[in-house]
Amino acid sequence: MNVTAFERVRERLAGLAGEAEVSHGVLVLLVEPDALLGTVRALKDDCGFDLFLDVTAVDWPEREPRFDVVYHFYSTREFVRVRVKTRVPVTDPTLDTMVALYGSARYMERECHEMYGIVFRGNDDLRPILLYEGFVGHPLRKDYPKQKEQPLVPYRDGKS
């Protein structure tokens, strides 16, 4: 664990991030949705987190806001990771896209959108990436009925 790097990040993000703690050797920042883009921009530009590793969500059906959207970043200069979490409600699970900061976000956000229904404002390509077109629902939500039958789609033979 690189305590010096974590302290620099905490100092730089003092006005942006809410809670900050170290968990399993990773700095974890909890930010409000409207501060997310600014926080990530500061992580990249000022703190050297040049690699976007992942975005996913955690579904807490009994809690409001229901979803934690979780981002992981890595600094190839400091060799440390940071986790950024924000919370969105099921009624409007929308966040700003990270595509302008990290091009790879285009694909990672597609997966998160598909599995949990999180909408990334500004990502112009949220087509399914793992499931087929026409799949109904978001299979990683805890209330998704695992016995649900999906609509059949016509077989494509590749000739048309």
Side-chain angles (χ1 to χ4, degrees), residues 42-126:
L43 281 171
K44 181 178 184 192
D45 295 344
D46 302 339
C47 302
F49 285 88
D50 53 341
L51 188 58
F52 179 35
L53 298 173
D54 185 32
V55 60
T56 189
V58 180
D59 185 3
W60 302 97
E62 304 301 320
R63 188 191 77 192
E64 189 57 38
R66 178 171 170 172
F67 299 103
D68 286 348
V69 181
V70 184
Y71 297 82
H72 295 100
F73 302 93
Y74 184 74
S75 169
T76 58
R77 182 180 65 209
E78 299 285 342
F79 307 109
V80 294
R81 295 174 189 261
V82 66
R83 179 179 305 130
V84 177
K85 297 184 346 181
T86 192
R87 295 178 174 155
V88 294
V90 69
T91 55
D92 184 21
T94 304
L95 293 168
D96 290 321
T97 185
M98 297 296 148
V99 170
L101 297 172
Y102 301 95
S104 62
R106 182 175 317 280
Y107 301 100
M108 292 183 232
E109 290 173 353
R110 283 174 67 180
E111 180 181 350
C112 190
H113 172 70
E114 183 175 24
M115 294 292 129
Y116 292 97
I118 308 299
V119 177
F120 295 93
R121 185 182 313 109
N123 186 333
D124 60 356
D125 186 9
L126 291 176

Side-chain angles (χ1 to χ4, degrees), residues 137-148:
H138 306 287
L140 292 184
R141 286 188 177 187
K142 291 184 180 169
D143 59 358
Y144 180 81
K146 63 183 178 182
Q147 303 302 328
K148 180 177 182 169

